[in-house]
Amino acid sequence: MKIRTLPIALLLLGTSLLGAAHAETLHLQGGERLEGRATAYDSETQTLTWEQTSGEERQVRLSELRPSTAYRVLRGQVSRDSGEGQLELGNFARDIEYFAHARRHYDQAVAADPTLEERVEQEREVTRTRAAAWAMQRAQAAITRRDLAEAEKWLHDIIEKLPTTPEAQQAREMIAEYHDRVRAERTAAVDREHEEVLRTGLASGKKAYEEMVAANEAALRDARGGSRAVRSWEKGLR
């Protein structure tokens, strides 16, 4: 689906004229700062159009931005009463992986303009897909670090919050496989423990038997060994 580029400047809080908006500071990843205001965001190319105070217009790629400051700037410029503005702000939040913020902006977009419901639902579906993939990446990273508790947390989050996604089914299978493996390992550990107890018991019994036989042989060689033989036999049965 092609995403329209919406002019943020026409959706500014409390104004309908470009010149009425106050200048903001946009921080880029390399440390550069741009003074001016956003005038459009294209969610298809993930490009922000920025008009500097000098009047020069600049296209800034999402990868160049510091996400937190860029989001703060745009959020401050878009009116809560603008359905179109909230929709595109939601798309921007999604593109910088602020998924919870994106969800709120989509809700605000529909509240401001109910006719946007169908378009917003399409964007929500895109957001669910991306959020599920993002969470699965973190679960896999936790598994690689052998942080199984963290991995299980992410997998449960996917199942609970994004149940209709392919990643949710994958998460269910991963958790089931993990618990099956844990049960198998525990069963094997118990079996090993029982085997060790049995081996120790047999070794102890064999030793007692051998001692009994040796004592009996010694007693038989001893003319006074009648009672001694009986005691040795009884000891071997303990």
Side-chain angles (χ1 to χ4, degrees):
M1 179 183 66
K2 183 174 178 59
I3 307 299
R4 292 190 304 161
T5 301
L6 294 181
I8 293 177
L10 300 181
L11 310 170
L12 297 181
L13 178 62
T15 180
S16 59
L17 298 176
L18 208 63
H22 65 280
E24 293 277 2
T25 301
L26 188 67
H27 297 265
L28 304 188
Q29 292 285 8
E32 184 181 2
R33 296 192 304 175
L34 302 179
E35 300 291 335
R37 57 188 178 275
T39 58
Y41 176 66
D42 187 336
S43 57
E44 183 178 15
T45 63
Q46 297 189 346
T47 303
L48 180 70
T49 301
W50 185 263
E51 182 180 298
Q52 302 186 81
T53 52
S54 64
E56 179 183 357
E57 192 173 80
R58 178 166 171 176
Q59 304 297 316
V60 185
R61 297 298 303 273
L62 193 65
S63 58
E64 299 178 71
L65 298 171
R66 290 185 182 178
S68 59
T69 56
Y71 173 70
R72 175 183 56 79
V73 168
L74 296 185
R75 186 183 60 187
Q77 291 188 354
V78 178
S79 169
R80 290 177 60 89
D81 296 328
S82 169
E84 293 280 1
Q86 290 297 324
L87 173 57
E88 281 306 299
L89 189 54
N91 289 345
F92 181 83
R94 176 191 65 204
D95 291 345
I96 61 174
E97 299 178 342
Y98 282 19
F99 298 112
H101 293 286
R103 179 180 178 180
R104 286 196 293 271
H105 290 304
Y106 292 144
D107 290 345
Q108 290 171 2
V110 174
D113 185 354
T115 65
L116 294 174
E117 177 66 47
E118 184 176 350
R119 285 176 53 199
V120 167
E121 184 53 37
Q122 291 174 336
E123 300 300 347
R124 282 174 175 154
E125 183 59 31
V126 173
T127 302
R128 284 190 287 267
T129 299
R130 292 191 190 177
W134 180 84
M136 182 57 74
Q137 288 176 356
R138 275 144 188 79
Q140 296 285 10
I143 291 172
T144 300
R145 298 193 306 270
R146 298 186 181 279
D147 188 347
L148 299 184
E150 179 71 9
E152 193 166 8
K153 171 187 172 298
W154 281 112
L155 294 175
H156 279 299
D157 281 348
I158 294 171
I159 293 170
E160 293 172 7
K161 299 176 182 179
L162 302 161
T164 62
T165 61
E167 285 80 4
Q169 180 58 34
Q170 182 183 356
R172 294 185 191 96
E173 294 171 357
M174 291 171 68
I175 290 175
E177 180 182 352
Y178 168 68
H179 287 303
D180 287 346
R181 185 170 65 251
V182 169
R183 281 193 294 269
E185 290 173 352
R186 288 176 179 172
T187 300
V190 171
D191 289 345
R192 287 194 298 271
E193 182 180 348
H194 288 172
E195 182 180 348
E196 182 62 26
V197 169
L198 180 60
R199 184 166 49 249
T200 301
L202 290 174
S204 177
K206 181 181 179 183
K207 180 180 179 183
Y209 174 77
E210 290 173 346
E211 290 176 350
M212 180 189 72
V213 171
N216 285 340
E217 290 177 349
L220 290 174
R221 290 193 297 269
D222 189 341
R224 298 171 299 169
S227 61
R228 180 179 175 186
V230 172
R231 288 194 301 272
S232 297
W233 177 78
E234 291 174 342
K235 180 182 178 182
L237 296 179
R238 293 174 186 170

